[in-house]
Amino acid sequence: MDFPASVAAQLAGNVVRCDALAEIGFLNGSRRLYNGFGTLRTNDGKLWQGIGNLGSIGGLKQAMNGAAAPLELSVSGVDAGFAAQAKGDRANWYMRPVVIYLQFFANDWQPLDMPFAMAFATMRQLTIGRQSTEGGMVYSVTIQAEGPFITRKRARYGFYSDTDQQKRFPGDRGCERTSGIEQHVIIFPRS
């Protein structure tokens, strides 16, 4: 994906800012949050609720060992409606999607380009806390989610052979030409 407005602003010597946006797909309606104040309208027309710099997103890293790191999203200072939506029936949040976007902004915090989806996960655990303050109740929500590759592995006793594939899925022709290529060397790039 390219970012023409962000690149043009950077090349012009302007300040380009970046922040993460979180879209939480509850069954009874999505919630979109960002670390800011008020309501943000991105260039795709979506509205994002500001949580006033009271949130954090953990687990956004490239694993060097091939492991799929879990994602942890913590937000504090959310409204009672969000807390109630999160606290509701387990079916409302369990195995529902969480998408983290990267958004570039101009120096005045106006969005440049479209948000870029950089992480996708499904919610596995959700905890809610509340604390009484002079201004009323302050709610916090912590979501632990796992990416789609958290359980990646080949099937038990599975081989990439036509015989094994036919036992699992009769009639499938996906592995019919694998025999005989075990020792075949493919040189890349070809000259």
Side-chain angles (χ1 to χ4, degrees), residues 27-65:
L27 186 62
N28 62 3
S30 292
R31 288 293 204 135
R32 296 180 188 95
L33 307 172
Y34 80 103
N35 276 331
F37 298 91
T39 301
L40 169 71
R41 179 183 295 274
T42 51
N43 293 339
D44 58 1
K46 292 181 179 177
L47 298 176
W48 304 79
Q49 174 188 356
I51 56 173
N53 295 321
L54 296 174
S56 67
I57 301 171
L60 295 177
K61 58 186 175 195
Q62 173 94 23
M64 300 308 282
N65 60 358

Side-chain angles (χ1 to χ4, degrees), residues 26-27 85-96 123-126:
F26 293 113
L27 186 62
Q85 189 176 23
K87 186 179 180 180
D89 187 21
R90 183 174 191 250
N92 188 40
W93 60 266
Y94 186 70
M95 295 298 287
R96 300 292 303 163
M123 291 183 264
R124 299 300 173 103
Q125 291 184 352
L126 189 139

Side-chain angles (χ1 to χ4, degrees), residues 68-185:
L71 175 72
E72 185 168 304
L73 171 68
S74 298
V75 291
S76 181
V78 295
D79 59 44
F82 179 86
Q85 189 176 23
K87 186 179 180 180
D89 187 21
R90 183 174 191 250
N92 188 40
W93 60 266
Y94 186 70
M95 295 298 287
R96 300 292 303 163
V98 174
V99 183
I100 306 300
Y101 295 89
L102 187 66
Q103 176 66 60
F104 291 106
F105 296 93
N107 191 32
D108 60 356
W109 289 100
Q110 294 304 307
L112 298 170
D113 302 313
M114 301 291 253
F116 174 71
M118 60 183 249
F120 172 82
T122 53
M123 291 183 264
R124 299 300 173 103
Q125 291 184 352
L126 189 139
T127 55
I128 299 168
R130 68 180 181 172
Q131 181 179 6
S132 180
T133 64
E134 291 177 9
M137 290 296 229
V138 175
Y139 296 93
S140 61
V141 177
T142 301
I143 297 170
Q144 293 179 344
E146 295 179 346
F149 303 113
I150 199 80
T151 58
R152 70 170 187 253
K153 56 185 172 184
R154 80 175 171 199
R156 179 176 283 170
Y157 309 117
F159 299 97
Y160 299 111
S161 68
D162 187 48
T163 304
D164 184 63
Q165 189 70 3
Q166 291 301 318
K167 286 179 185 175
R168 293 176 192 281
F169 306 100
D172 183 34
R173 299 178 60 193
C175 292
E176 70 181 5
R177 296 187 178 160
T178 56
S179 66
I181 64 169
E182 300 91 11
Q183 302 300 321
H184 187 75
V185 176

